[in-house]
Amino acid sequence: MAKLLDKASIILTPTGYSRDAIHNVKPSESSFGDMTFVQNGTTTRVNENGLVETVASDIPRIDYSKGSGAILAELGATNQVRYSEDFSNALWTKDAITLTSSTKTSPRGVSQTVYNITSALASGDGLFAAFASTPSGQGTGVSIWIKRTSGAGSTGNVWIGSGTQSSGTGNLVAVGNEWQRISYAAPQYGGTQIYIDPEYGHYFDIWGAQGEYGLVSGGTGRITSYIPTTSGSVTRIRDNYFDGGDSSLIGSQEGVLFLEAAAIANQAGRTRGVALSASNSAANRVVLFFGFSSNKITVRIQASASTVLEIYGTVTDQTAFNKIAVKYKSGDIALWINGTEVATSTASFTFNATLSELALDQGNGSQHMDGHVKQLIVFKEILSDAEITELTS
């Protein structure tokens, strides 16, 4: 692999950043080809120690919520759950639930008020709160940090959902004695409340509740990075990565674009792109999309303002890391996913403007990436089938 990477013109991994920029590993000298980053507002990430950490405005997030470091590039989201850390507030309904508080170490790794819940012997819906607004037909995503503090055995079951256990819109999760984030993403038409209902005979600490809607009507709910709230809902704006590379680092008529990434949600009907383009224009571009339909990967090559072709592949799970590469050259186009060539085309094309920009969008500042990016590599010339197999395996 090291010899193969010697051929790369751009290598981006989650290792270096500064305010307003994410830094490439290669090139390591001018021109660096780094992407500009804009995110006007504070955000959170899960750091390398597994703790929730606040990140200042315009600082890229290297997030470890999937186990290894990855660049977190998210579309905007709103936490619809008010008082996300204060479960004593009257907006949280306690139905057959006992709630107590004490000062403990939270998932942020600091001492603060943490609430403990246990189920009463009587029947009831548990702990729940209504969302601040009503969706327009989107799925609902709900999440909370939780750990078991006592009870028989090593785990206790906790229901989390946008509906009650009897309605079936949620998951029953086995929770152990360490902080973990449990979640449920409704496939479509989610509810307008978050429910947490613990198994009787077990006690659980809880922290950091979140409820958010999907991106499209009838689409899956999303589980994004934590957005703390108090008396009202809070919105995090999207991450915007653009203006990477230059004409000396991107092949003018041929090359390979490689991406190892995981989408936030398996979202049909919405595209999320990574692109090589000519001066932030859709007229000449090579784009890898997550989307169009469930678990679909799409390649679009557009030249001289005309869509030359689209080719497609599928993955088992968009929300898991997948290794994807597109080889582009007139008459020799191919899509590779996880070591296998899944689609080809012999279509002819000629870009009438020089490809000069790498961005986490569809090449014109829209349809931004919504996920975790572990690797992003650009080659100025096409590679052999054996080399692309090695790259994507």
Side-chain angles (χ1 to χ4, degrees):
M1 178 65 80
K3 187 175 181 180
L4 175 58
L5 294 181
D6 287 342
K7 295 183 177 183
S9 56
I10 297 174
I11 300 176
L12 175 62
T13 60
T15 53
Y17 60 90
S18 57
R19 183 175 295 277
D20 301 323
I22 188 83
H23 301 308
N24 293 324
V25 175
K26 183 181 182 181
S28 58
E29 57 187 29
S30 185
S31 59
F32 295 101
D34 297 336
M35 276 192 288
T36 299
F37 175 65
V38 174
Q39 209 292 334
N40 295 315
T42 58
T43 56
T44 67
R45 67 163 186 152
V46 174
N47 66 22
E48 57 270 33
N49 297 314
L51 301 175
V52 178
E53 179 179 280
T54 298
V55 180
S57 178
D58 290 329
I59 299 294
R61 289 180 288 168
I62 309 303
D63 183 78
Y64 290 79
S65 60
K66 286 187 168 289
S68 57
I71 300 162
L72 181 54
E74 292 181 304
L75 297 177
T78 299
N79 187 356
Q80 299 285 346
V81 176
R82 292 158 288 187
Y83 295 100
S84 63
E85 298 171 28
D86 182 6
F87 303 100
S88 67
N89 189 272
L91 289 177
W92 283 94
T93 299
K94 297 86 176 171
D95 186 7
I97 285 289
T98 299
L99 181 79
T100 58
S101 66
S102 60
T103 300
K104 295 183 179 180
T105 302
S106 76
R108 287 190 181 274
V110 299
S111 293
Q112 65 177 100
T113 299
V114 172
Y115 291 87
N116 189 273
I117 58 171
T118 187
S119 182
L121 187 58
S123 62
D125 288 334
L127 179 69
F128 57 97
F131 290 172
S133 69
T134 302
S136 302
Q138 307 102 309
T140 298
V142 292
S143 60
I144 194 167
W145 271 266
I146 189 167
K147 71 173 181 177
R148 195 184 71 109
T149 57
S150 66
S154 59
T155 60
N157 292 325
V158 176
W159 173 265
I160 181 168
S162 54
T164 64
Q165 290 196 50
S166 60
S167 71
T169 53
N171 284 330
L172 194 62
V173 183
V175 174
N177 300 332
E178 301 293 334
W179 283 116
Q180 65 186 91
R181 192 185 194 189
I182 63 173
S183 63
Y184 171 71
Q188 58 181 353
Y189 311 123
T192 59
Q193 299 188 81
I194 178 173
Y195 284 83
I196 303 102
D197 194 6
E199 179 182 4
Y200 177 72
H202 295 264
Y203 292 76
F204 300 88
D205 284 343
I206 54 175
W207 181 90
Q210 188 148 311
E212 48 198 314
Y213 298 135
L215 300 172
V216 295
S217 180
T220 305
R222 299 167 72 221
I223 309 295
T224 68
S225 60
Y226 177 54
I227 306 168
T229 66
T230 52
S231 60
S233 62
V234 175
T235 297
R236 179 196 63 243
I237 67 170
R238 73 162 184 258
D239 299 304
N240 192 8
Y241 287 93
F242 63 100
D243 200 27
D246 60 36
S247 58
S248 70
L249 299 172
I250 302 171
S252 60
Q253 299 296 332
E254 67 173 83
V256 172
L257 173 61
F258 167 79
L259 173 69
E260 183 178 5
I264 292 294
N266 179 19
Q267 188 76 65
R270 179 85 181 201
T271 54
R272 293 139 292 165
V274 174
L276 304 172
S277 67
S279 302
N280 191 32
S281 167
N284 294 275
R285 57 179 175 160
V286 178
V287 196
L288 282 171
F289 284 115
F290 286 90
F292 290 112
S293 63
S294 178
N295 286 320
K296 178 169 283 188
I297 305 298
T298 301
V299 171
R300 177 180 292 170
I301 295 179
Q302 195 163 342
S304 305
S306 299
T307 300
V308 175
L309 79 142
E310 288 180 353
I311 55 176
Y312 310 95
T314 58
V315 294
T316 302
D317 181 3
Q318 279 190 14
T319 65
F321 283 112
N322 291 280
K323 296 181 178 181
I324 306 162
V326 55
K327 173 178 66 173
Y328 67 94
K329 183 179 181 180
S330 182
D332 186 6
I333 303 157
L335 170 63
W336 294 71
I337 299 175
N338 297 328
T340 300
E341 186 181 59
V342 299
T344 62
S345 173
T346 57
S348 298
F349 67 88
T350 301
F351 296 121
N352 65 357
T354 302
L355 301 184
S356 58
E357 180 177 358
L358 169 65
L360 300 189
D361 59 39
Q362 69 167 352
N364 66 347
S366 64
Q367 303 292 3
H368 294 76
M369 180 62 183
D370 189 37
H372 292 78
V373 176
K374 190 182 290 187
Q375 294 185 84
L376 182 56
I377 303 175
V378 176
F379 298 84
K380 293 178 64 177
E381 297 84 22
I382 61 171
L383 302 174
S384 69
D385 288 357
E387 288 173 322
I388 302 180
T389 298
E390 179 183 3
L391 183 66
T392 57
S393 295

